[in-house]
Amino acid sequence: MNFLLTEQPINPTALREKMLSPQAGAYCSYEGWVRDHNEGKEVAELHYSSYTQLAPSIADQILTEAKEKFNVTAAIVHRTGPLRVGDIAVWVGVTAHHRGDTFLACRYIIDNVKFRLPIWKKEIYTDNSEAWIENNHCGCADPANLQIHHKHEC
Amino acid sequence: MNFLLTEQPINPTALREKMLSPQAGAYCSYEGWVRDHNEGKEVAELHYSSYTQLAPSIADQILTEAKEKFNVTAAIVHRTGPLRVGDIAVWVGVTAHHRGDTFLACRYIIDNVKFRLPIWKKEIYTDNSEAWIENNHCGCADPANLQIHHKHEC
Amino acid sequence: MQIKVLYFAQLADLAGRTEEQIEVSERSAESLYADLRTAYNFPHDFKQLQVAINHELSAHETPLEEGDEIAFLPPMTGG
Amino acid sequence: MQIKVLYFAQLADLAGRTEEQIEVSERSAESLYADLRTAYNFPHDFKQLQVAINHELSAHETPLEEGDEIAFLPPMTGG
């Protein structure tokens, strides 16, 4: 299964190399980076915690759905533990014969990772206050909705 | 301007590093790879030729459109000359605050690169025959159509 | 009936622990959560949480069994 | 009137060159292309091609000027 939770820094160059295939004509990747601000507050650090015994089976479901819908090869790596500004929180890589499938699948996967993978983010601000992020989905209650591209997402 | 035509191999690791920014929370990249087959024929080599005095202004237009539509930072690198199976023909990198914009912009850019950038591809097959690719757009005659995601593209 | 409860994220912070054994008399996850919510001041309504039993997502009304490991999962915020 | 014609891709292969100077009597790009098509057996209709004059995309009916560099561009196939 092409899923990894890791406390180590994510290496996109190494992950990309694992995706190489002479049959693939298109490669789309997505990375979520830790920003220096969120909703007006200066972010010093994020802390991701996960339910490690549950996450792999959920990731596997998401990857299987993407393969069935879009006929792609795909992988997900999510970091946990403390992250600093500029760190990669999540990486998704997708290959396919043609580009359209890679974009749709990559978007499908990251949307569902954010909505369904049992991982939670605490923001620690430069003033030392901290907060668990309540919801990063703008009220999208149903994963089926995630196939639609939201104009204004969080 | 974030556009380059090059006869040298494309280095996605170096290009990605130029996109890093503490304000960006999302990074989407696309790569077109030379496949070992196309429409049932075994491909040995591709040869891309370009109109080098025209391509930069067209690329600049595409990037400007993407920035205006999606509020992203973006770059395009396209290789020319002879390419072998597995080589990167084109690279597009996009960053933004949020992921939705990066996906839409990256897709917009690569679709328009294929349709509007003055570059042409000759396929050389393993039986030594060769052919200029006639059209890789499935009859999409109008660049405006490219904002719609085609289910069955070439 | 002994149940093991796993806490994650905000719930772990509020409970001050990541797991504990609890003796329950009812087999209802909702009733168990109501007790925990009172004890630890959890902010979520039961229906806002997903329920995992023995490391699998489960329906809210699944009856608890002796020795189950249950987790109440706040809305996920990875990525 | 002297015009420089630039050839790309299939048109360069068929013309056996990437550019040439041509003496034209009419100022019409369509008429110039018709002559070149006959000479080199180009497969495209004029309307299938984009026209670039002095390295800028131009309308098909733009009148030619002495010294212009013109290119007839087949459908692009990069990426």
Side-chain angles (χ1 to χ4, degrees):
Chain A
M1 191 180 60
N2 295 313
F3 171 66
L4 181 68
L5 275 181
T6 176
E7 299 214 347
Q8 302 305 312
I10 290 175
N11 180 339
T13 300
L15 293 169
R16 175 189 173 279
E17 277 176 17
K18 291 189 194 168
M19 304 295 293
L20 297 175
S21 157
Q23 283 87 49
Y27 170 67
C28 180
S29 72
Y30 175 82
E31 298 175 18
W33 293 346
V34 178
R35 289 192 297 160
D36 60 5
H37 62 286
N38 190 29
E39 296 184 5
K41 301 192 79 170
E42 282 184 43
V43 174
E45 194 175 307
L46 293 189
H47 196 286
Y48 284 92
S49 58
S50 68
Y51 185 172
T52 55
Q53 301 103 319
L54 177 61
S57 65
I58 304 284
D60 198 26
Q61 284 171 27
I62 295 169
L63 289 168
T64 300
E65 289 160 14
K67 283 170 201 184
E68 287 173 357
K69 286 173 192 289
F70 305 112
N71 195 25
V72 295
T73 299
I76 303 166
V77 179
H78 204 300
R79 191 160 164 202
T80 57
L83 275 76
R84 309 287 279 177
V85 172
D87 283 348
I88 305 173
V90 60
W91 174 92
V92 177
V94 177
T95 63
H97 289 322
H98 300 295
R99 70 187 182 284
D101 292 325
T102 65
F103 282 105
L104 294 173
C106 196
R107 178 77 200 253
Y108 180 86
I109 291 167
I110 187 62
D111 284 353
N112 280 277
V113 160
K114 286 174 176 262
F115 193 74
R116 292 162 60 189
L117 206 59
I119 296 177
W120 298 272
K121 173 166 55 181
K122 179 155 66 174
E123 289 185 344
I124 295 143
Y125 305 104
T126 50
D127 63 5
N128 288 321
S129 65
E130 57 180 51
W132 288 97
I133 299 307
E134 282 293 308
N135 192 308
N136 59 7
H137 318 294
C138 281
C140 317
D142 180 352
N145 291 339
L146 293 172
Q147 295 178 56
I148 299 158
H149 293 178
H150 298 290
K151 185 72 187 165
H152 298 288
E153 72 203 50
C154 303
Chain B
M1 192 180 58
N2 296 313
F3 171 66
L4 180 68
L5 276 180
T6 176
E7 300 214 346
Q8 302 305 313
I10 290 175
N11 180 339
T13 300
L15 293 169
R16 176 188 171 281
E17 276 177 18
K18 290 189 195 169
M19 305 295 293
L20 297 175
S21 157
Q23 284 86 49
Y27 170 66
C28 179
S29 71
Y30 176 82
E31 298 176 19
W33 295 346
V34 179
R35 288 192 298 158
D36 59 5
H37 63 285
N38 190 29
E39 296 183 6
K41 302 193 77 169
E42 283 183 43
V43 174
E45 194 176 306
L46 292 189
H47 196 287
Y48 285 92
S49 59
S50 69
Y51 184 173
T52 55
Q53 301 102 319
L54 177 60
S57 63
I58 303 284
D60 198 27
Q61 284 170 27
I62 295 169
L63 288 169
T64 299
E65 290 161 13
K67 284 170 200 183
E68 287 173 357
K69 285 173 192 288
F70 306 111
N71 194 27
V72 295
T73 299
I76 304 165
V77 179
H78 204 299
R79 191 159 164 203
T80 57
L83 276 76
R84 309 287 280 176
V85 171
D87 283 348
I88 305 173
V90 61
W91 174 93
V92 177
V94 177
T95 63
H97 289 321
H98 300 296
R99 70 188 183 285
D101 292 326
T102 65
F103 282 105
L104 294 172
C106 196
R107 179 76 200 255
Y108 180 86
I109 290 167
I110 187 63
D111 284 355
N112 280 279
V113 160
K114 286 175 175 260
F115 192 73
R116 292 162 60 189
L117 206 59
I119 296 179
W120 298 273
K121 172 165 57 181
K122 180 154 67 174
E123 289 186 342
I124 296 141
Y125 305 103
T126 50
D127 63 5
N128 288 320
S129 65
E130 57 180 51
W132 287 98
I133 299 307
E134 282 293 307
N135 193 309
N136 59 7
H137 318 293
C138 282
C140 316
D142 181 351
N145 291 338
L146 294 172
Q147 296 178 55
I148 300 156
H149 291 177
H150 298 291
K151 183 73 188 163
H152 298 289
E153 73 204 47
C154 302
Chain C
M1 184 170 70
Q2 284 284 317
I3 297 289
K4 185 176 183 180
V5 183
L6 309 178
Y7 299 106
F8 295 99
Q10 189 176 15
L11 274 54
D13 277 5
L14 289 168
R17 67 199 71 196
T18 59
E19 59 178 67
E20 67 182 320
Q21 293 287 341
I22 300 214
E23 175 70 29
V24 300
S25 50
E26 292 187 62
R27 299 182 60 197
S28 152
E30 182 161 12
S31 157
L32 169 57
Y33 179 72
D35 291 346
L36 298 171
R37 188 179 187 183
T38 302
Y40 297 127
N41 204 22
F42 292 155
H44 306 89
D45 292 334
F46 181 60
K47 288 294 183 192
Q48 289 180 284
L49 304 168
Q50 290 186 74
V51 173
I53 298 176
N54 301 327
H55 313 315
E56 288 187 6
L57 292 179
S58 305
H60 282 81
E61 59 274 16
T62 307
L64 301 180
E65 307 281 349
E66 169 73 27
D68 274 352
E69 295 190 30
I70 190 169
F72 301 99
L73 309 178
M76 289 138 187
T77 54
Chain D
M1 184 169 71
Q2 285 283 318
I3 297 291
K4 185 177 181 178
V5 183
L6 310 178
Y7 300 106
F8 296 99
Q10 189 175 15
L11 275 52
D13 277 5
L14 289 167
R17 67 199 72 196
T18 58
E19 59 177 69
E20 68 183 318
Q21 292 287 341
I22 300 214
E23 176 69 31
V24 299
S25 51
E26 291 187 65
R27 299 181 60 196
S28 152
E30 182 161 14
S31 157
L32 169 57
Y33 179 72
D35 291 346
L36 298 170
R37 187 178 188 184
T38 303
Y40 298 126
N41 205 23
F42 292 154
H44 305 89
D45 294 333
F46 180 61
K47 289 293 182 193
Q48 291 180 282
L49 305 168
Q50 289 187 73
V51 174
I53 297 176
N54 301 327
H55 314 315
E56 288 186 7
L57 292 180
S58 304
H60 282 81
E61 60 274 16
T62 307
L64 301 180
E65 307 282 350
E66 168 73 28
D68 275 352
E69 296 190 29
I70 189 169
F72 302 99
L73 309 179
M76 289 138 187
T77 55

